[in-house]
Structure formats: C-alpha cells, structure tokens
Amino acid sequence: MNSTAGAPRGVIPAHLLKGQKALVTGANSGIGKATAIGLGRAGADVVVNYVAGQEAAEKVVEEITSYGVRAAAYEADVSREDQVAAMTERMVEEFGTIDILVANAGLQRDAGVTEMTLAQWQKVLDVNLTGQFLCAREATKEFLRRGVVPEVSRSAGKIICMSSVHQLIPWSGHVNYASSKGGVQMMMETLAQELAPQRIRVNAIAPGAIRTPINRTAWETPEAERDLLRLIPYDRVGEPEDIAYAVVGLASDLMDYVVGTTLYVDGGMTLFPGFATGG
Ligand code: NAD
C-alpha cells in the first residue's frame, strides 16, 4: 500500500440529513454498506436492504444505530417487482416515508461474448438496471404522495443511482455489465428530466475502482493492484467511503441544484490516462 492509500478522513456533519429517511439497496457489503453508515452518520434513519447475508446486514444496522439514528434490515431482491413494492410499503409504514433512495445493488457475471449465456446477460440486466428502475419507481410514488416538506429538505426526494465508469468506458469481457450501466445513465437522465418539475432530484455516481468484494481479483495481490493503478492517475485504489461521502453530499440540500448529473468518483480513471504519455 502506498502512502496515499486508505479511506479518506473526514467529519460528516451529524445534522446534514437529520429527519430524512434513506433506503440503500445492497447495503450489507462494500459501497452500499459504507453508504448506509455514512447516511446514518449524517443523521438520516436508514433501511439496509439485502438479498442474502442477514447477519452482515444486522451488523450494519447495529453500527448505524450507534450514531443515534434508527435503522432496520429489510430483505428484498431488487429485481423482483413484488419484493420491491413490499419493501417500500414496509418502509413507509415503519419509518413514515422515504426521502433518499440509493439504488446501489449490483453484480457482475463476466464472460467473453461467445461464452456468455443468456442467463448471465439477463441476471445482470435484471439486477443492475431493472432493479434500479423498480426501486426508483416505488420511491417516486412516495415522493409524489408526500411532496416537499420544507423543514426536512428543499426537494420532494432524491434518487442516487450507483452507476460505474463503465457507463462511459467500454469493458471487454463484461458486455452485460457495461450495457447495464450505460442503461443506468440514460434511465437516470430521463427520470431526472421527467421528475425535476416535481422537485425530485435524480443523479448518479459513477465509481472507478473501489476496494470491495465485487472486484477482489483486481486488487487483492500486489501485482494486480500495480496493474490497476496504471489506470488511476490519482494513484490509489478507491475505498467504499470515497463513494459514501459523495452520496451524503449529493443527497443533501447543499447540492439542491444538482439535477441529472453523473458524479464520477474515480481518481481520474475517466481522464484516459493512456493518453498522458501517448496519443
Ligand atoms: P458488493 O458485491 O460488495 O455489493 C453489492 C451488493 O449488492 C451486495 O450487498 C449484494 O448482496 C447486493 N445485491 C446483489 N444482487 C442483489 C439483489 N438482487 N437484490 C438486492 N441486493 C443485491 O459490490 P460493490 O462494489 O459494493 O457494488 C455496489 C455497486 O457499486 C454496484 O452497483 C456496482 O456495480 C457498483 N460499482 C462498484 C465498483 C467497484 O469498483 N467496487 C465500481 C463501479 C460501480
């Protein structure tokens, strides 16, 4: 690990999201976990969604409640319409409403194109794209029902889609994943355009290489990490907290005028570092 590695340090203002209710999907691991904790540190009550791994989800809940806010773990597969509807209904019942959706759940099923099965293609599209659509749709119904509550937030709701640098950078051997994230970008921008007049802010975060289980092989050996760093001008692998802090900022009224934008949090990966010395 080089001297610049490690999670960013920072104090999250504990009242930034006070009184807001946040739902984070896929929140028992990696980026979702750090994000759920970050939102809790910022004063939000948080629903920690998971599809498998209840124990890990309960641990996240425990940590969030240690910051003096409410949290609960809800099981739901985001690619299942009935389960997403039940999850959001339960959240409204138990937490009163929903102010912030972080549509984060995602997965990879990698293969070269001739080896990729329809099941691999479909699974990734179902979770990464359809899952975000279903969660966004259900959250939006609640945002519209409730409207703006000025003492809570200037907007009626915030949706933050977890995209990827691969909404921009093609990724050989991952056509399902890159296509899903390209779809997330257009879904996000279309929803942002459709919902802005109702004062609902839809935005995305596009992480670069973040140290989580999804991409373990890319960073777990020194050789792999060295290769990876060639793609990252800022010369460190990202940490889940890098994304969590971006979500907290984007969800807060400090960024109330940010609508329909993708925030790249990637250490410069999308600056085409190969061109720094060539081209
Ligand atoms: P992760 O594997 O640690 O977390 C993914 C989470 O999604 C897990 O909790 C998993 O159980 C959950 N999930 C998967 N299928 C689900 C389903 N059907 N319903 C509900 N939850 C489900 O990986 P991560 O890196 O934390 O990934 C989080 C998001 O960030 C994903 O959308 C991923 O595409 C995106 N992302 C990650 C990176 C990175 O470098 N780690 C880079 C770009 C984008």
Side-chain angles (χ1 to χ4, degrees):
M1 207 183 253
N2 66 34
S3 59
T4 57
R9 287 180 287 266
V11 179
I12 297 183
H15 295 288
L16 197 59
L17 301 174
K18 194 172 182 316
Q20 301 202 41
K21 320 291 176 191
L23 168 61
V24 184
T25 65
N28 61 348
S29 174
I31 289 170
K33 172 180 169 180
T35 295
I37 292 168
L39 291 167
R41 285 174 59 193
D45 296 325
V46 185
V47 168
V48 173
N49 159 255
Y50 68 98
V51 69
Q54 184 178 5
E55 209 175 304
E58 295 295 352
K59 282 218 175 84
V60 178
V61 166
E62 220 173 279
E63 174 157 2
I64 295 170
T65 51
S66 77
Y67 295 109
V69 294
R70 274 185 74 192
Y74 288 5
E75 183 183 347
D77 178 339
V78 296
S79 67
R80 293 280 306 274
E81 188 174 28
D82 53 342
Q83 295 187 25
V84 172
M87 172 169 68
T88 43
E89 273 165 33
R90 181 177 167 197
M91 181 164 174
V92 172
E93 233 173 75
E94 293 179 359
F95 283 75
T97 191
I98 166 171
D99 301 281
I100 299 164
L101 165 68
V102 185
N104 165 79
L107 43 71
Q108 291 180 213
R109 294 286 184 270
D110 307 331
V113 61
T114 56
E115 307 302 320
M116 187 173 288
T117 63
L118 178 59
Q120 285 173 314
W121 167 268
Q122 199 63 57
K123 178 76 180 172
V124 171
L125 269 290
D126 282 352
V127 175
N128 294 14
L129 183 57
T130 306
Q132 291 206 12
F133 163 72
L134 291 171
C135 292
R137 189 185 68 184
E138 295 311 304
T140 297
K141 289 179 189 169
E142 172 57 15
F143 297 159
L144 293 174
R145 184 199 65 78
R146 192 203 58 242
V148 178
V149 180
E151 49 285 8
V152 174
S153 174
R154 296 185 72 181
S155 71
K158 280 84 58 167
I159 296 173
I160 297 170
C161 299
M162 202 54 69
S163 187
S164 163
V165 289
H166 295 297
Q167 71 172 30
L168 179 73
I169 304 174
W171 201 16
S172 171
H174 306 76
V175 65
N176 48 1
Y177 185 84
S179 302
S180 74
K181 297 301 187 181
V184 164
Q185 178 181 6
M186 192 45 76
M187 179 193 73
M188 178 280 286
E189 290 174 6
T190 300
L191 291 180
Q193 186 193 61
E194 186 170 329
L195 298 173
Q198 277 76 44
R199 298 195 65 88
I200 294 168
R201 291 199 295 121
V202 189
N203 289 286
I205 288 177
I210 310 300
R211 205 184 300 274
T212 75
I214 209 173
N215 59 358
R216 186 178 297 283
T217 53
W219 49 260
E220 78 180 340
T221 66
E223 301 73 41
E225 181 159 344
R226 203 171 47 241
D227 273 358
L228 183 58
L229 287 175
R230 286 191 294 116
L231 301 174
I232 308 173
Y234 205 57
D235 200 35
R236 73 170 171 85
V237 176
E239 306 295 337
E241 290 75 14
D242 285 301
I243 306 303
Y245 296 165
V247 171
V248 168
L250 206 43
S252 80
D253 277 1
L254 293 173
M255 302 217 182
D256 185 56
Y257 210 51
V258 179
V259 175
T261 290
T262 297
L263 177 59
Y264 286 87
V265 184
D266 68 352
M269 190 177 250
T270 42
L271 298 173
F272 299 97
F275 279 78
T277 54

